[in-house]
Amino acid sequence: MRYINALSIMNPKEYNECVKAYSDAVFRFIVSNLKDYETARDIVQSAFEVLWRKIDQVDLQKAKSFLFTVAYRDMIDHIRKNKRFEPITEVNDHLGMVSNTYTGASESLQACLSTLPEIQQHVLMLRDYEGYDYKEIGVITGLNESQVKVYIFRARTALKSLIGKKEVIL
């Protein structure tokens, strides 16, 4: 006789609740990294498709983490397949300049974020925008907890040196 462990396996109703609860957060995370709405929608849809296929294997309490992990890995695969190289000089031309006109804090922050290595961008966004703890980020990205902490520290340090004083942005 097979014993069922204490997992809270999903049923179709709970799956639909996961779609309502998590689809926007997963989409925001993916689109903020890719800057491509259609591709982000495809990746999110694919993540939910994988969840549906594994509905009897995924613990309901871990559905959000499962979705972010699947979407994150699909996003990385997409980035690797469609890697575009831009000259570094173009990215760095705007960093040292201070303008007297207001360009928007959000745009400035996005420009600074885009100069970080991809893994630093991803872990920082999972931590600061999505609110995941270090252990959850490690599960999503496949890194161990200390690697996650190092990447987040390095990303914050780099952003701090790029941004400098808040008056530069504002």
Side-chain angles (χ1 to χ4, degrees):
M1 176 180 227
R2 186 177 152 198
Y3 293 97
I4 299 176
N5 58 11
L7 290 178
S8 175
I9 303 299
M10 272 191 282
N11 60 40
K13 181 181 177 186
E14 292 168 332
Y15 171 83
N16 289 333
E17 290 171 7
C18 282
V19 171
K20 289 178 187 174
Y22 306 132
S23 61
D24 286 340
V26 176
F27 178 75
R28 275 192 323 270
F29 173 68
I30 300 299
V31 80
S32 66
N33 283 291
L34 292 181
K35 312 287 188 264
D36 180 357
Y37 287 95
E38 294 305 316
T39 303
R41 285 185 187 135
D42 291 344
I43 288 173
V44 172
Q45 183 175 0
S46 175
F48 277 99
E49 181 183 342
V50 170
L51 178 62
W52 178 254
R53 283 186 275 143
K54 296 184 181 232
I55 195 170
D56 59 340
Q57 300 169 16
V58 177
D59 182 359
L60 177 60
Q61 303 302 319
K62 296 183 179 181
K64 182 178 180 184
S65 179
F66 178 85
L67 286 166
F68 268 88
T69 301
V70 171
Y72 173 79
R73 290 182 179 159
D74 283 351
M75 177 185 71
I76 294 299
D77 288 345
H78 174 79
I79 290 170
R80 286 180 181 153
K81 287 179 187 173
N82 300 307
K83 191 75 171 170
R84 294 183 197 130
F85 294 101
E86 295 181 25
I88 294 175
T89 55
E90 287 182 24
V91 174
N92 289 332
D93 283 345
H94 305 295
L95 295 177
M97 299 171 53
V98 177
S99 174
N100 291 334
T101 60
Y102 178 73
T103 60
S106 179
E107 291 83 4
S108 297
L109 184 58
Q110 281 301 107
C112 290
L113 273 172
S114 68
T115 64
L116 297 175
E118 289 177 359
I119 189 66
Q120 288 181 10
Q121 290 177 32
H122 300 156
V123 296
L124 188 65
M125 293 183 73
L126 285 169
R127 176 72 177 164
D128 293 341
Y129 286 108
E130 299 300 331
Y132 279 104
D133 63 29
Y134 297 119
K135 187 175 183 179
E136 292 172 317
I137 295 169
V139 170
I140 291 169
T141 59
L143 301 170
N144 66 44
E145 195 171 335
S146 61
Q147 289 173 311
V148 170
K149 289 178 183 178
V150 167
Y151 282 131
I152 290 173
F153 174 79
R154 288 179 182 168
R156 288 178 178 162
T157 303
L159 285 177
K160 187 176 179 181
S161 69
L162 288 173
I163 294 171
K165 299 178 182 176
K166 66 181 178 182
E167 293 82 22
V168 172
I169 292 180
L170 302 174

